[in-house]
Amino acid sequence: MISKKMEALVENSSVIRAMFEEGKKMADLYGAENVFDYSLGNPSIEPPDEVKKAIIDIVTEENPMDIHGYMNNSGYEEVRREIAVSLNKRFDTAFGVEHILMTVGAAGGLNVILKTLLNPGDEVIVFAPFFGEYRNYVNNYDGNLIVVPPDTKSFLPNLREFANRISERTKAVIVNTPNNPTGVVYSENTIKALAEIMYKAQDKFGTSIYLISDEPYRELAYDGVEVPFLTKYYENTIVGYSYSKSLSLPGERIGYLVMPGELDDWEEIVHAANVANRILGFVNAPSLLQKVIGKCVDVPINISQYDRNRKFLYDALSRCGYEMVKPEGAFYLFIKAFEKDDVAFSEKAKKHRLLLVPGSAFGCPGYVRLAYCVDYDMIKRSIPSFQALAKEYYR
Amino acid sequence: MISKKMEALVENSSVIRAMFEEGKKMADLYGAENVFDYSLGNPSIEPPDEVKKAIIDIVTEENPMDIHGYMNNSGYEEVRREIAVSLNKRFDTAFGVEHILMTVGAAGGLNVILKTLLNPGDEVIVFAPFFGEYRNYVNNYDGNLIVVPPDTKSFLPNLREFANRISERTKAVIVNTPNNPTGVVYSENTIKALAEIMYKAQDKFGTSIYLISDEPYRELAYDGVEVPFLTKYYENTIVGYSYSKSLSLPGERIGYLVMPGELDDWEEIVHAANVANRILGFVNAPSLLQKVIGKCVDVPINISQYDRNRKFLYDALSRCGYEMVKPEGAFYLFIKAFEKDDVAFSEKAKKHRLLLVPGSAFGCPGYVRLAYCVDYDMIKRSIPSFQALAKEYYR
């Protein structure tokens, strides 16, 4: 009785669901400490103390009607102002309240902007490997996802193939840097080259092509690497942000969209996004958490635990013979499977009690993703399993 | 550059938006105390103290990784269990964790279930007057909204017309009792008659027709009137609930869906709804607020302020010559305009500094809606304006 669209989605969702269920069974069978679950991008660092303090301060000091009541669908003005001021300070931008829309996480923000922009059949370009939900979000509005095949050497966007695929049907391009699943950060040069292709295409086709920058991992960059802020390089850029990873609040569903004044048809887009937020059923981002963000915009993020995991795991896996690009951001490693069939490979990994997500879930078969937002000791305990898995292929 | 669908939506949304902006301007011009804003269904009763206590207890006592982390897309099991137990106690039902899905408010819940059920072209029946957002929610999934014309005598569902419109294309029927905008509560007899029509149609067409009961106002019923719990009367019933009105938490976006085991294809629907919650970008209901609800499911609701407003306003407006059905629930009065054109009438009302929403926004021209979830003193101060407005028509 469910819709045809949902039938297909339910079927596709069953792989990760099965992995989750299997992980629980394995934990029962072998003991939780002997199962090495690298499948979920769930932050392992506690939210900063400032979050707790902000919650208590707000409910103690502010009027409950204001804390929990309706506000403009775009969110509390004072919160949006804090975010704009913070962005301006960090990135030398000139955003105001009117450029910020509070959203139900980055997932909510992406749905709002895709609903705002897409007519049925409009194309949205992504670069493999990509976060699999992009396909679902684009399909929600009957857009067509166009996948640019990966450059498996660098895992930077394959710009030559991008230039071939951008067309008069292209309405938007989604980028995600630092990247899930590779951990790669796009350099300034890469962004400039990408922007150039997009500007040329806009000129050639006489269209507006929007660059949607999905940035939940912005704050997770290592070795002092700079993550360029994309609105500076391409005028039609919309930024989607989430506090899920930076403040470890994934359950709270809180983020924002930045819609700079330079956007073609900015006023129309801002108004429509506000309406889309309402009619998609989000209505507004959760009110108390908005206020918490207002007090925590500039809280320093400590990612040293992730960095330690990253270095240890990269070194240990390299020694075991695994191939991967050293990640500069996010909390993922994207390693090459020892056989072409990444699903078969991740099945073999399970026998060693390793839960790894097949790269085909990210449009990049032949690889698997490890989420290293886990306990350091689990990583250490898991190395013999990685060694044993490698030995199955190279004895 | 925005999508065609959004263009139409933006245009339609401008009436209420304009009213909101005009209200602010009027407040500047005449002083806030001289503007009588009956336009918004924003609760005027403070959230119960238990909410504040629950928030502080949770952030003080529980593990922040658990409070703010990911959980199953359907929500925390212990919260869903609390809700099921509470419903079972109140309505003699037998729900378990597996029947409850936590949602981003009732709006989120309705979108989840409509995404789950609707194929393009499927029909969803509503009874005028109805909450205008239903049209948008149904359109989100390319369904067709079929509006049953109002019975303006009782404002109960027009069942004769309903029986004419239900067809092999009908996938769902949405009811809303206590009702926005009329305040009418459907009696048990009405529900039984409605269920009978639906059972007959299912038999006749060999289809499953789902009854979606949108119940944000369940707890707001006066004079001891009973609000029937619909799963008892019709097996294919899905209930959508929100804490926005009962606990005065509209900004927090927290509610749930009940999907009883009696539903045709229950397992498929529950699984698909869980996936829909994720891919629509809700992911899950806000985590801290879920936990707050877990501690507040049985907090008694005090609606005496609304009741006082209701009685006073009903009596005063009746004395001024206004016609309306005395509401038994929610916090709305639906009064007959003194002219056919409800938009013109509400424009005249504005001259008396009364902000009333035209009934055409609810598919019922010739009427206007008053939300009496406002300050009692504002109501008292507003009566001369209602008198003056009536005099314009009957001098």
Side-chain angles (χ1 to χ4, degrees):
Chain A
M1 281 310 143
I2 62 172
S3 72
K4 295 282 164 225
K5 269 192 179 184
M6 283 311 303
E7 272 177 22
L9 289 164
V10 165
E11 207 161 291
N12 287 336
S13 77
S14 57
V15 181
I16 293 177
R17 192 189 161 91
M19 181 170 280
F20 182 73
E21 296 301 328
E22 208 160 339
K24 283 203 287 189
K25 267 186 219 155
M26 282 165 66
D28 288 345
L29 211 62
Y30 305 111
E33 74 284 4
N34 297 314
V35 178
F36 313 117
D37 189 346
Y38 286 100
S39 68
L40 281 180
N42 199 8
S44 56
I45 296 179
E46 282 200 4
D49 291 340
E50 286 89 340
V51 168
K52 176 178 169 179
K53 185 175 180 309
I55 293 171
I56 293 175
D57 286 354
I58 291 163
V59 299
T60 311
E61 290 161 19
E62 295 190 28
N63 177 354
M65 303 297 277
D66 186 41
I67 302 171
H68 306 296
Y70 280 127
M71 81 298 303
N72 185 296
N73 297 120
S74 296
Y76 292 112
E77 285 208 1
E78 66 273 22
V79 176
R80 294 153 66 200
R81 186 171 298 114
E82 290 289 345
I83 290 170
V85 166
S86 170
L87 290 173
N88 295 344
K89 207 164 44 188
R90 289 176 64 193
F91 304 115
D92 195 24
T93 47
F95 301 128
V97 172
E98 67 278 18
H99 302 112
I100 310 291
L101 173 82
M102 300 304 296
T103 61
V104 173
L110 288 174
N111 274 279
V112 164
I113 196 64
L114 291 170
K115 172 82 175 174
T116 298
L117 295 176
L118 294 189
N119 284 311
D122 280 352
E123 293 185 353
V124 178
I125 297 180
V126 295
F127 299 93
F130 63 93
F131 179 47
E133 293 290 81
Y134 296 154
R135 181 179 299 279
N136 298 327
Y137 300 163
V138 168
N139 285 348
N140 282 341
Y141 312 103
D142 299 312
N144 288 334
L145 195 79
I146 303 296
V147 180
V148 175
D151 169 351
T152 53
K153 252 199 174 143
S154 65
F155 282 113
L156 288 170
N158 186 333
L159 294 180
R160 203 163 47 185
E161 291 294 336
F162 176 50
N164 289 335
R165 277 166 177 77
I166 199 165
S167 78
E168 68 277 11
R169 293 180 303 278
T170 308
K171 190 62 177 267
V173 176
I174 304 178
V175 293
N176 172 219
T177 164
N179 185 263
N180 173 13
T182 64
V184 163
V185 176
Y186 297 2
S187 69
E188 191 173 34
N189 280 341
T190 299
I191 299 300
K192 282 181 178 167
L194 182 125
E196 200 187 320
I197 293 168
M198 292 182 68
Y199 275 126
K200 272 189 187 156
Q202 287 195 139
D203 282 348
K204 183 173 168 190
F205 304 120
T207 57
S208 297
I209 304 177
Y210 295 93
L211 178 62
I212 301 173
S213 181
D214 179 31
E215 306 193 349
Y217 303 101
R218 162 163 294 283
E219 267 52 76
L220 278 59
Y222 311 104
D223 301 335
V225 70
E226 287 269 333
V227 182
F229 195 77
L230 302 197
T231 63
K232 290 182 181 177
Y233 301 92
Y234 184 71
E235 289 189 347
N236 275 332
T237 298
I238 293 151
V239 175
Y241 187 80
S242 162
Y243 292 94
S244 292
K245 317 296 177 175
S246 56
L247 294 181
S248 296
L249 302 172
E252 300 294 0
R253 316 312 305 143
I254 184 79
Y256 59 82
L257 285 174
V258 187
M259 294 172 285
E262 291 77 14
L263 293 179
D264 292 344
D265 296 306
W266 171 76
E267 202 169 333
E268 218 184 342
I269 289 175
V270 161
H271 188 178
N274 181 293
V275 174
N277 203 23
R278 199 193 80 218
I279 66 148
L280 288 174
F282 300 113
V283 184
N284 55 255
S287 52
L288 170 59
L289 262 289
Q290 282 192 47
K291 287 184 173 277
V292 170
I293 295 305
K295 287 179 181 280
C296 295
V297 275
D298 289 324
V299 166
I301 313 294
N302 182 349
I303 55 169
S304 59
Q305 286 179 44
Y306 295 144
D307 197 17
R308 183 169 73 153
N309 290 357
R310 176 181 73 112
K311 285 173 176 156
F312 179 84
L313 196 57
Y314 177 78
D315 290 343
L317 293 184
S318 297
R319 274 196 303 270
C320 299
Y322 291 89
E323 276 177 54
M324 75 217 86
V325 172
K326 187 170 185 178
E328 294 185 305
F331 40 44
Y332 305 107
L333 274 177
F334 203 56
I335 65 178
K336 193 167 180 182
F338 289 133
E339 61 180 302
K340 271 200 173 168
D341 184 341
D342 52 315
V343 177
F345 180 74
S346 82
E347 283 303 316
K348 282 216 182 86
K350 269 186 211 158
K351 290 191 190 135
H352 300 277
R353 288 161 284 120
L354 292 167
L355 295 177
L356 317 176
V357 181
S360 40
F362 306 94
C364 190
Y367 291 78
V368 290
R369 187 193 78 172
L370 282 72
Y372 58 78
C373 44
V374 294
D375 183 40
Y376 184 63
D377 290 330
M378 185 199 99
I379 297 178
K380 288 209 279 188
R381 284 197 310 274
S382 74
I383 302 303
S385 284
F386 281 109
Q387 286 168 333
L389 176 62
K391 262 196 193 153
E392 281 207 40
Y393 293 89
Y394 305 98
R395 26 181 113 227
Chain B
M1 280 309 143
I2 63 171
S3 72
K4 296 281 165 225
K5 268 192 178 184
M6 284 310 304
E7 271 177 21
L9 288 163
V10 165
E11 205 160 294
N12 287 337
S13 76
S14 58
V15 180
I16 294 178
R17 193 188 159 92
M19 180 169 280
F20 182 73
E21 296 301 327
E22 208 159 341
K24 283 203 289 189
K25 267 187 220 155
M26 283 165 68
D28 288 344
L29 210 63
Y30 305 111
E33 73 284 4
N34 297 315
V35 178
F36 312 117
D37 189 347
Y38 286 99
S39 67
L40 280 180
N42 199 9
S44 57
I45 296 180
E46 282 200 2
D49 292 339
E50 286 89 341
V51 168
K52 176 178 169 180
K53 184 175 181 310
I55 293 171
I56 293 175
D57 286 353
I58 291 163
V59 299
T60 311
E61 291 160 18
E62 295 189 29
N63 176 353
M65 303 297 277
D66 186 42
I67 302 171
H68 306 298
Y70 280 128
M71 82 297 304
N72 185 296
N73 297 121
S74 295
Y76 291 111
E77 285 209 0
E78 66 272 21
V79 176
R80 293 151 66 200
R81 187 171 298 114
E82 290 288 345
I83 290 169
V85 167
S86 169
L87 290 173
N88 295 343
K89 208 164 44 189
R90 289 176 64 191
F91 304 115
D92 196 24
T93 47
F95 301 129
V97 172
E98 67 277 18
H99 303 112
I100 310 291
L101 173 83
M102 301 304 296
T103 61
V104 173
L110 289 173
N111 275 279
V112 164
I113 197 65
L114 292 170
K115 171 83 175 175
T116 298
L117 295 175
L118 294 189
N119 284 311
D122 280 351
E123 293 185 353
V124 178
I125 297 180
V126 296
F127 299 93
F130 64 93
F131 179 45
E133 293 289 82
Y134 296 156
R135 181 178 297 281
N136 298 327
Y137 300 164
V138 168
N139 285 348
N140 282 341
Y141 313 103
D142 298 313
N144 288 334
L145 195 80
I146 303 296
V147 180
V148 174
D151 170 350
T152 53
K153 251 199 175 141
S154 66
F155 282 114
L156 287 169
N158 186 334
L159 294 180
R160 201 162 49 186
E161 292 293 336
F162 176 49
N164 288 336
R165 277 167 177 76
I166 199 165
S167 80
E168 69 277 11
R169 292 180 304 278
T170 308
K171 190 63 177 270
V173 176
I174 304 178
V175 293
N176 172 219
T177 163
N179 186 263
N180 173 14
T182 64
V184 163
V185 176
Y186 297 2
S187 70
E188 190 174 34
N189 281 340
T190 299
I191 298 299
K192 282 181 177 167
L194 181 124
E196 201 188 319
I197 293 168
M198 291 182 70
Y199 275 126
K200 274 190 185 154
Q202 286 195 139
D203 282 348
K204 184 173 168 192
F205 304 119
T207 56
S208 297
I209 304 177
Y210 295 93
L211 178 61
I212 300 172
S213 180
D214 179 30
E215 306 193 350
Y217 303 101
R218 163 163 293 283
E219 267 53 74
L220 277 58
Y222 311 103
D223 300 334
V225 70
E226 287 269 333
V227 182
F229 195 77
L230 302 197
T231 64
K232 290 182 179 175
Y233 301 92
Y234 183 70
E235 291 188 345
N236 274 332
T237 299
I238 293 151
V239 175
Y241 187 80
S242 162
Y243 292 94
S244 292
K245 317 296 178 176
S246 56
L247 294 181
S248 298
L249 301 172
E252 300 294 1
R253 315 313 304 143
I254 184 80
Y256 60 82
L257 285 174
V258 186
M259 294 172 284
E262 291 77 14
L263 292 179
D264 293 344
D265 296 306
W266 171 76
E267 203 170 331
E268 218 184 341
I269 289 175
V270 162
H271 188 178
N274 181 292
V275 174
N277 204 23
R278 199 192 81 218
I279 66 148
L280 288 176
F282 300 112
V283 183
N284 55 253
S287 52
L288 170 60
L289 262 289
Q290 282 192 48
K291 286 183 173 277
V292 170
I293 294 307
K295 287 179 180 278
C296 294
V297 274
D298 289 323
V299 166
I301 313 295
N302 182 350
I303 55 169
S304 59
Q305 286 180 43
Y306 295 144
D307 197 18
R308 184 170 72 154
N309 290 357
R310 175 182 74 112
K311 286 172 175 156
F312 180 84
L313 196 57
Y314 176 79
D315 290 345
L317 293 185
S318 298
R319 275 196 303 271
C320 299
Y322 291 89
E323 275 177 56
M324 76 217 85
V325 172
K326 187 170 186 178
E328 293 184 305
F331 41 45
Y332 305 106
L333 274 177
F334 202 57
I335 67 178
K336 193 167 180 181
F338 288 132
E339 60 179 304
K340 273 202 171 165
D341 184 341
D342 51 314
V343 176
F345 180 73
S346 82
E347 284 301 317
K348 281 215 181 87
K350 269 185 211 158
K351 290 192 189 134
H352 300 277
R353 289 161 284 121
L354 292 166
L355 294 177
L356 317 175
V357 182
S360 39
F362 306 93
C364 190
Y367 291 78
V368 291
R369 187 192 79 171
L370 282 72
Y372 58 78
C373 44
V374 294
D375 182 42
Y376 184 64
D377 290 329
M378 185 200 98
I379 297 178
K380 288 207 280 190
R381 286 195 310 272
S382 74
I383 302 303
S385 284
F386 281 108
Q387 286 169 334
L389 176 62
K391 263 196 193 148
E392 282 207 39
Y393 293 89
Y394 306 99
R395 25 180 114 228

